[in-house]
Amino acid sequence: MDNKHIVILGAGYAGVHAAKKLAKKYKKNDSVEITLIDKNPFHTLMTELHEVAGGRVHPESVQVELSKIFHRTKVKVVVDYITKVDIETQTVKTKNDSFKYDYLLIGTGSEPAFFGVPGVKENGFTLWSFEDALKIRKHIQNTFDKASRELDPKKRRDMLSFVVAGSGFTGIEMAGELLEWKNKLAKDYGIDKDEVSLYVVEALGTILNMLDRKQADKAENYMLKHGVKVLKNSPIVEVNPKGIVLKSGEKIATETLIWTCGIQANGQVGEYGLDRARAGRLQTNEFMQVIGHDNVFAVGDLAYYEEEPGKGTPQIVEAAEQTAMTAVNTIVADINSTEKKEFKSNYHGFMVSVGGKYGVADLSGIKLSGFFALLMKHLINMYYLFGVNGVHAVYHYLQHEFFTIEDKRSIMRGHLSSKGNRLWLVPLRIYIGVLWFLEGFEKLVGTANWEAAKGLKKFTAGIGEDSWMRMGNVKMPFSWLTADGASGASDATTSASQTAEAATEWATPIISKMPKLYEGIMEIMIPTPEMAVWFQRMVVILEIGMGLALIAGLFTFLASAASAFMVVNFILSAMAGWDILWYFFGSIALMCGAGRTFGLDYFVMPWINDKVRGFWYGDRVAPYNQK
C-alpha cells in the first residue's frame, strides 16, 4: 500500500479526538502518517474558559499540552499558523512549511459572530479563546482597582456595572462566575459590593434555549435570587466605550460588555473554495466529507450536516467528537476499501454551571440541579480528560477544581482545599510505623522470645517455636484449616486444638464471624495449612516493611494505604477488636503526603514523579521543538 498522509487542521475537541483515534488505529502501520497543525502548543478546554475569565481557576487549568497528549504516538504535532489550503494540489501551507495530504480533516472551529451590531467588536470582549479569557480576567481586576480609587459615586457605579450579552451556555456560565467573583473582588479592593451590578441581556424571550424549560427557569431564578438582572426581549443595537443601547432605547452605562451572542465558522475557511452552509460552516454529507471533495472532511463546529431538515449538527463537544469519529471511520474505510458508516448522532444531554456552587442539567431525560448537576459535570470533564491524557490530566483537574480552589468556589466549598502543616503528622507517622514494626517483629521471633526481650530476660537468637514463619504454625483461626475441616487438612501439622489456642491470641473481634463472601475469597487464597503459613509469612514481611517505610517516611502514601488495608483485612477475618480501628484512621490521615516532611519522600517522590511523568506523559516541549 502506498503511504497515506493524513493532515488534521485544529487541535480542538474534534481534531484531538480524530488524531488519537487514527494514531491508535494505525499505531503499527508505518505507511500511514498523521500530522496535526495548530497555532497553539496546547489543547484548550473551551467549555471551561469562563472559569479562567471569572478568576475561579488558574489559567493553565484549561490547557493540555499537545506534546503530552501525543507523547509516544505517531502523531506529528506542528505548531504554526495556517496560511493557505490548496484543494487542487492537496497542500496545506503554514507560515514556515508546507504539507501534502491524501486526506484532510478541517477542525479549525468557529469565531464570535457580531450580527452587524455597531461597536461590539471595538468595545466589547469575546470569550472564545484562551487569550480572550485572560483579557477579561485582567480587565475585571483592573476595573475594580480603578473603581476603588474613583471618588465620583456615579462614575464608580458605571465602572462596576458588568454586562453579559447572550444567555446561551457561555453567557450564563460567565455571568455565574462574575456573580461569585464580585464579592471577593469587592472585599479585596475595599468596595461596597452593593455598588456592583451584573446584567444578562438576551434578545429572545427565554434563556438557555437548548435546555428543558424547567431547568432553564431554575438557573434564571438562581441568578435573580442572587442579584443578577436578567433582561429578556432586549436586543442590543449599539455599543460604545461607555455603555450599550437596547432596541427599546434604554441605555446601560458600562465599561465591560462580554459578548456571547453567537458564533460562526472560522473566517479563514472561506478562502478554501469549499461549499459553505449556514453561518459559513462547511456543508458535508453523512460521512463528514465536504460536498464535492471525497478526501476533505469537516469536523466539529465547522461541520454542517442535517440529519433532519433544517436541523444541523449542534456546536457542542459531543457533536465534535462524533463528527470526528465519523470522519475517522470514513478514512479507514477508504484506505481498507470497506463499507463506510454514516453519521448517527447520540447526544446525552446538556449541563450548565452558574458559578462553582450551582448548576442545572438535563442528561438523557434525567433532570438534575445544584450539587448533583455540578457533580455530573465534573465527572464528565474527568472522563473526557482521562481519554485525552490519562490519569495525569485527571489529577491536575482535581487539583485545580477542588484541592487548590480559592474562595470556596466549588461544590465542596473549601473543605477539600484547606491546608495544614504536615509537620504535625510526623510524630503520628513514626508512632504508627514503630507499632507496625514491633507487631511484625513479634510475629517473626515468636511471642515467647518477644516477652522475654520485653522483660529484659535472656533473648534466644533467631525465631522461636511459635513464630509465624515456621512451617506448621497456623496462627489464623480459620475453620477450614483445622484437622476436621476442609479436605486435605487431615495431613496438616496443626490440629484443631492448636488452631483454637491460636485464636485466643486475638482480642474480642468486632465481628464474630467472617462474611460469607470474604470467607469464600480467603478459602480460595489459602486452602491448606501449608498455604496459610506462606500467607502468614507475607503478613509478617508486610508489617515489618510498612513499619520501616513509615518510620523513614518512604513511599508513605503506599505504606499508609497498605496499613489501612491490613486493618480491614483483619477485621473481615474476625481477628481484630475495636482497638485496631485507630490504626485505620491514623493511616488515612497519613496519606496526605506525611513523608514529605522529615522523611525520604521529600527527596524520592519528586525524582520519581519527574521520571514517571516524563516517560508516560512527556515533558513540556517548546513549540519550535515539537516532533
Side-chain angles (χ1 to χ4, degrees):
M1 182 176 70
D2 294 336
N3 281 6
K4 299 295 182 182
H5 301 265
I6 305 172
V7 175
I8 302 170
L9 307 184
Y13 291 102
V16 166
H17 191 70
K20 287 184 70 70
K21 293 298 181 182
L22 287 166
K24 183 177 180 181
K25 176 67 179 179
Y26 294 111
K27 182 177 181 180
K28 299 180 180 179
N29 189 337
D30 293 334
S31 66
V32 176
E33 300 177 12
I34 305 166
T35 301
L36 175 66
I37 306 174
D38 195 276
K39 65 180 180 180
N40 293 314
F42 50 81
H43 167 56
T44 301
L45 304 178
M46 297 288 289
T47 59
E48 310 305 310
L49 284 176
H50 59 278
E51 297 186 19
V52 173
R56 174 147 58 111
V57 298
H58 296 292
E60 62 270 19
S61 68
V62 299
Q63 296 178 327
V64 186
E65 295 291 328
L66 296 178
S67 57
K68 293 181 178 180
I69 295 175
F70 297 107
H71 178 60
R72 301 173 70 193
T73 73
K74 69 186 302 174
V75 177
K76 178 183 179 181
V77 175
V78 176
V79 179
D80 206 348
Y81 285 87
I82 300 164
T83 57
K84 184 178 181 181
V85 174
D86 192 326
I87 301 297
E88 296 300 322
T89 63
Q90 298 190 175
T91 305
V92 173
K93 295 183 179 180
T94 64
K95 188 176 180 181
N96 299 292
D97 208 342
S98 64
F99 303 87
K100 297 286 291 184
Y101 67 82
D102 294 292
Y103 301 96
L104 178 66
L105 272 75
I106 306 176
T108 48
S110 51
E111 61 187 22
F114 301 112
F115 305 109
V117 177
V120 175
K121 191 172 184 179
E122 297 78 11
N123 302 303
F125 294 88
T126 57
L127 184 56
W128 205 246
S129 70
F130 179 71
E131 293 76 15
D132 286 347
L134 292 182
K135 190 182 296 185
I136 292 172
R137 182 189 185 112
K138 183 177 180 180
H139 168 78
I140 291 173
Q141 289 174 318
N142 289 341
T143 298
F144 271 85
D145 182 36
K146 289 192 300 180
S148 69
R149 307 167 192 272
E150 178 56 59
L151 301 180
D152 186 324
K154 183 182 184 308
K155 289 183 179 179
R156 188 168 60 249
R157 286 182 178 275
D158 292 348
M159 293 170 66
L160 293 172
S161 294
F162 300 91
V163 178
V164 177
S167 66
F169 291 168
T170 303
I172 296 302
E173 290 185 326
M174 185 67 244
E177 297 301 329
L178 292 176
L179 172 62
E180 292 181 350
W181 198 22
K182 70 179 180 67
N183 293 333
K184 182 179 188 303
L185 289 172
K187 182 177 180 180
D188 290 346
Y189 289 98
I191 292 172
D192 182 354
K193 64 181 181 180
D194 291 335
E195 290 190 337
V196 183
S197 299
L198 299 181
Y199 295 85
V200 171
V201 180
E202 170 57 51
L204 300 177
T206 54
I207 71 169
L208 292 172
N209 292 302
M210 292 185 73
L211 267 182
D212 170 82
R213 288 315 326 146
K214 185 176 181 181
Q215 298 303 98
D217 289 343
K218 286 183 179 180
E220 182 176 354
N221 290 335
Y222 179 85
M223 290 189 294
L224 292 172
K225 179 181 177 182
H226 289 84
V228 179
K229 301 170 185 178
V230 181
L231 306 181
K232 295 176 287 189
N233 295 310
S234 302
I236 296 174
V237 295
E238 183 186 339
V239 179
N240 58 64
K242 294 299 181 180
I244 63 173
V245 180
L246 305 181
K247 188 176 181 179
S248 63
E250 181 184 354
K251 297 180 180 179
I252 300 176
T254 180
E255 294 182 10
T256 308
L257 170 68
I258 303 174
W259 183 267
T260 68
C261 291
I263 55 177
Q264 60 189 9
N266 187 311
Q268 191 181 41
V269 175
E271 302 171 7
Y272 299 169
L274 300 171
D275 285 352
R276 305 177 75 187
R278 186 178 299 174
R281 298 162 70 182
L282 296 179
Q283 183 72 58
T284 74
N285 61 17
E286 67 272 28
F287 305 114
M288 292 301 118
Q289 296 165 307
V290 176
I291 300 300
H293 302 277
D294 290 346
N295 68 335
V296 179
F297 301 82
V299 292
D301 285 357
L302 273 182
Y304 187 85
Y305 170 66
E306 294 186 355
E307 286 187 277
E308 300 175 15
K311 188 178 180 181
T313 46
Q315 292 163 301
I316 59 176
V317 175
E318 276 196 301
E321 292 187 329
Q322 290 172 25
T323 55
M325 198 66 241
T326 298
V328 168
N329 289 336
T330 304
I331 291 173
V332 172
D334 191 70
I335 291 175
N336 297 339
S337 298
T338 56
E339 186 178 354
K340 295 180 288 187
K341 297 179 181 178
E342 66 181 57
F343 176 76
K344 294 288 185 184
S345 63
N346 182 28
Y347 309 131
H348 294 90
F350 303 97
M351 297 175 293
V352 60
S353 62
V354 189
K357 303 175 184 178
Y358 187 81
V360 293
D362 183 357
L363 303 175
S364 300
I366 300 175
K367 310 293 193 299
L368 299 172
S369 61
F371 177 89
F372 292 105
L374 284 184
L375 177 62
M376 286 304 301
K377 183 173 183 180
H378 286 303
L379 290 174
I380 290 170
N381 284 344
M382 286 188 283
Y383 175 79
Y384 172 77
L385 287 168
F386 182 80
V388 169
N389 200 31
V391 175
H392 179 74
V394 174
Y395 171 77
H396 280 279
Y397 182 84
L398 290 171
Q399 285 289 325
H400 288 294
E401 293 286 347
F402 294 101
F403 300 142
T404 60
I405 200 73
E406 298 176 0
D407 200 34
K408 304 179 181 180
R409 293 173 65 181
S410 84
I411 53 173
M412 299 306 298
R413 304 308 191 260
H415 294 293
L416 300 183
S417 60
S418 59
K419 300 293 186 295
N421 196 323
R422 292 167 178 156
L423 175 65
W424 316 123
L425 291 174
V426 173
L428 178 64
R429 188 195 81 215
I430 295 174
Y431 182 57
I432 292 181
V434 169
L435 290 181
W436 274 123
F437 175 79
L438 296 179
E439 183 77 19
F441 191 73
E442 179 181 355
K443 292 181 174 69
L444 174 67
V445 302
T447 303
N449 269 351
W450 179 243
E451 291 298 329
K454 289 197 296 184
L456 300 179
K457 299 177 183 178
K458 183 178 179 181
F459 179 77
T460 303
I463 61 176
E465 292 297 324
D466 58 344
S467 168
W468 280 43
M469 304 295 284
R470 284 191 178 278
M471 185 59 72
N473 285 342
V474 178
K475 296 294 186 178
M476 293 175 291
F478 299 159
S479 60
W480 65 88
L481 300 177
T482 63
D484 54 354
S487 62
S490 57
D491 296 328
T493 58
T494 301
S495 66
S497 61
Q498 286 176 305
T499 304
E501 181 181 349
T504 62
E505 297 181 13
W506 305 97
T508 303
I510 295 175
I511 58 176
S512 59
K513 186 178 180 181
M514 273 195 290
K516 285 292 184 182
L517 177 61
Y518 190 76
E519 183 177 352
I521 295 172
M522 294 298 291
E523 193 167 354
I524 293 173
M525 292 178 63
I526 47 176
T528 66
E530 290 80 12
M531 287 294 296
V533 173
W534 284 105
F535 187 81
Q536 288 179 173
R537 290 173 176 174
M538 289 176 57
V539 170
V540 173
I541 293 171
L542 185 58
E543 288 183 348
I544 292 175
M546 285 190 308
L548 292 174
L550 289 173
I551 292 169
L554 179 65
F555 304 129
T556 310
F557 181 90
L558 294 177
S560 301
S563 173
F565 172 79
M566 288 286 284
V567 171
V568 173
N569 184 60
F570 283 137
I571 292 174
L572 292 178
S573 299
M575 296 166 60
W578 292 99
D579 58 320
I580 202 174
L581 280 178
W582 85 269
Y583 276 81
F584 177 81
F585 295 109
S587 299
I588 296 297
L590 295 178
M591 292 172 72
C592 69
R596 291 180 182 253
T597 299
F598 295 115
L600 294 180
D601 281 345
Y602 178 83
F603 306 99
V604 174
M605 294 313 296
W607 181 82
I608 291 177
N609 287 338
D610 183 61
K611 296 299 180 183
V612 171
R613 183 169 55 245
F615 178 75
W616 285 109
Y617 305 110
D619 294 319
R620 184 170 187 173
V621 177
Y624 69 83
N625 200 29
Q626 297 282 350
K627 66 178 181 179

